[in-house]
Amino acid sequence: MKTAVEELSPTRVKLTVEVPFDELGPSMQAAYKKVAEQVRVPGFRPGKVPARIIEQRFGRAVVLEETLNDAVPKLYGQAVDEVDLFPVSQPDIEVTKIEDGEQIEFTAEVDVRPNFEVPDYAGIEVTVPTAEVSDEDVNAQLDALRQRFATLTGVERPAAKNDFVVMDLRAEIDGVNLEEQQANEVSYEVGAGSVLQGLDDALEGMSAGEEKTFRTELVGGENAGEEADVIINVKSVKEKVLPELDDEFAQLASEFDTLEELKDSVREQARRNKLVDQVVQSRELALDALLEQIDIPIPDSALKAEVDARKHNLDHQIAESGLSRDAYFRLYQTTEDERLAEFETSSVKAIKTGFVLDKIVKAEELGVNEQELTNFVVRRAMQMGVAPNTLAQHLADNDQLTLAMVEIVRDKAKTVVGDAAKVVDEAGNEVDLKAIYTEINGEEATEEASENEE
């Protein structure tokens, strides 16, 4: 087989592949077998029709067509490997010459990863936040913990922001009640920012037993997007009461006996979290700095596929939310145009990042072992709330294990770039990433080593 490559653009090539006929032998045998199973010839059992009879009755062209259908995709794959291309789209293949018994020729036009060099990433300078923990950091964590143990107490006063109300809601259009647009005994925090515009303003100042009507646009159901009158009936008003920050609270919310012990624990956990953030940000910032040094043209087909995938996911999320499109974007304080523009920018960066990381994976000869793949599946299953075995089976059934391994090695490549960087914090202190790894993962690594030895 001989392959010639013509560069049509920095991101698209044309392969011309010449294949001697004797290399089609296995595909030719498969073609005869397939045709023999499909045709019916008197005197022969299905699948047992001889090759010469097939050619006499149905013509050699039928066999050649089946042969090429089987052989060309495989030959295309071999050609791509031989010339070391990285396709990013499906090829447009055309058989241009068939010399029976001599050779065949076909062309394949395909978008490819463009040629580029990865600059030296050793010593890239990045700055990360300090790992110092302030009293404000500790207090914020304690306040969040107090929120988890807050209680609601009924009050005999109008509702104010951050109060909780229990209410009945219903909607009418032109005086006609909408059955699907009603709910009873709904608990809601005033000021939480409902997608139902006007709800928070209407609730502030209402007392238990009062009813109020306000006009708004419905956000879900058959009447989504239509103007309606929403009637609120407040059943009760409750204020959130936070527990006192004392030893009793420490015993309630943790395994510690005193508030000081709890504070020390919160401070230490906050410090460890900041150390982990330094590692994560070092990798992200170092990779961003590397990407800024490289100008890579993006294949149109790859960009379109990435943007379309994000649009599809967005449509799915909107459908799952049960909200109208306007209400959905209002909930996330953005617009559809802004989100689509962000898709274009983030897709370009995602593709460029993948190209660069794949180059580093190859240069550094990074791979994935069985334990790493298992750990990946377990972590992803925990994030999704499913059993690891269930996710592993899903990945295998849908041919997604390769994608999982690509994600693992790309993450390894990102780590390589981050570890090679010169990292300082905002105070000018050098950050020792290896020391952080040892401190954060040391105990886990020791336990894992012990288990492996056993």
Side-chain angles (χ1 to χ4, degrees), residues 203-220:
L203 283 171
E204 284 199 52
M206 290 187 68
S207 299
E210 289 187 349
E211 185 174 279
K212 182 183 289 187
T213 300
F214 69 99
R215 193 161 183 80
T216 190
E217 181 183 297
L218 298 177
V219 297

Side-chain angles (χ1 to χ4, degrees), residues 368 370 372-384 386-408:
V368 181
E370 185 176 345
E372 289 168 337
L373 183 58
T374 299
N375 293 342
F376 173 88
V377 171
V378 170
R379 287 195 304 270
R380 187 57 55 87
M382 290 178 63
Q383 294 169 358
M384 299 173 63
V386 299
N389 288 343
T390 301
L391 179 58
Q393 190 63 52
H394 173 79
L395 294 175
D397 292 344
N398 292 273
D399 296 325
Q400 293 182 355
L401 284 175
T402 300
L403 295 178
M405 289 189 285
V406 167
E407 187 171 340
I408 294 169

Side-chain angles (χ1 to χ4, degrees), residues 331-379:
L331 174 65
Y332 290 98
Q333 299 180 340
T334 186
T335 67
E336 185 163 4
D337 288 342
E338 289 173 343
R339 183 64 70 87
L340 295 180
E342 187 274 331
F343 282 171
E344 190 82 15
T345 302
S346 58
S347 294
V348 168
K349 182 178 180 181
I351 295 168
K352 183 177 180 180
T353 299
F355 286 168
V356 171
L357 291 178
D358 288 341
K359 279 261 192 177
I360 295 172
V361 166
K362 186 173 182 179
E364 298 285 348
E365 298 182 345
L366 303 176
V368 181
N369 60 42
E370 185 176 345
Q371 186 60 52
E372 289 168 337
L373 183 58
T374 299
N375 293 342
F376 173 88
V377 171
V378 170
R379 287 195 304 270

Side-chain angles (χ1 to χ4, degrees), residues 196-247:
L196 196 62
Q197 285 191 311
L199 177 61
D200 287 317
D201 292 337
L203 283 171
E204 284 199 52
M206 290 187 68
S207 299
E210 289 187 349
E211 185 174 279
K212 182 183 289 187
T213 300
F214 69 99
R215 193 161 183 80
T216 190
E217 181 183 297
L218 298 177
V219 297
E222 295 181 3
N223 302 96
E226 296 184 39
E227 290 282 326
D229 292 316
V230 175
I231 300 92
I232 311 170
N233 189 302
V234 174
K235 312 293 283 293
S236 64
V237 178
K238 299 178 181 180
E239 67 178 0
K240 185 188 295 184
V241 179
L242 300 180
E244 291 294 328
L245 203 54
D246 53 22
D247 291 346

Side-chain angles (χ1 to χ4, degrees), residues 152-260:
L152 297 178
T153 302
V155 292
E156 300 295 329
R157 60 168 174 75
K161 188 175 182 180
N162 298 325
D163 284 340
F164 279 78
V165 298
V166 176
M167 60 184 171
D168 295 339
L169 295 122
R170 60 187 176 87
E172 295 179 351
I173 294 181
D174 297 330
V176 178
N177 185 58
L178 305 176
E179 290 189 8
E180 69 168 352
Q181 296 284 356
Q182 60 182 17
N184 296 323
E185 301 292 325
V186 176
S187 179
Y188 176 74
E189 183 178 5
V190 180
S194 170
V195 292
L196 196 62
Q197 285 191 311
L199 177 61
D200 287 317
D201 292 337
L203 283 171
E204 284 199 52
M206 290 187 68
S207 299
E210 289 187 349
E211 185 174 279
K212 182 183 289 187
T213 300
F214 69 99
R215 193 161 183 80
T216 190
E217 181 183 297
L218 298 177
V219 297
E222 295 181 3
N223 302 96
E226 296 184 39
E227 290 282 326
D229 292 316
V230 175
I231 300 92
I232 311 170
N233 189 302
V234 174
K235 312 293 283 293
S236 64
V237 178
K238 299 178 181 180
E239 67 178 0
K240 185 188 295 184
V241 179
L242 300 180
E244 291 294 328
L245 203 54
D246 53 22
D247 291 346
E248 185 176 344
F249 171 70
Q251 295 165 18
L252 171 68
S254 70
E255 71 273 24
F256 301 108
D257 294 326
T258 68
L259 179 60
E260 286 306 312

Side-chain angles (χ1 to χ4, degrees), residues 10-13 76 80 85-91 109-114 116 296-306 351-352 354-355 358 410:
T11 61
R12 191 168 179 84
V13 298
Y76 163 75
V80 165
L85 290 177
F86 193 103
V88 297
S89 69
Q90 292 298 317
E109 291 190 18
V110 64
D111 287 341
V112 295
R113 183 181 66 193
F116 65 92
I296 305 176
I298 304 299
D300 290 339
S301 60
L303 180 58
K304 182 179 184 303
E306 185 72 21
I351 295 168
K352 183 177 180 180
F355 286 168
D358 288 341
R410 284 181 175 179

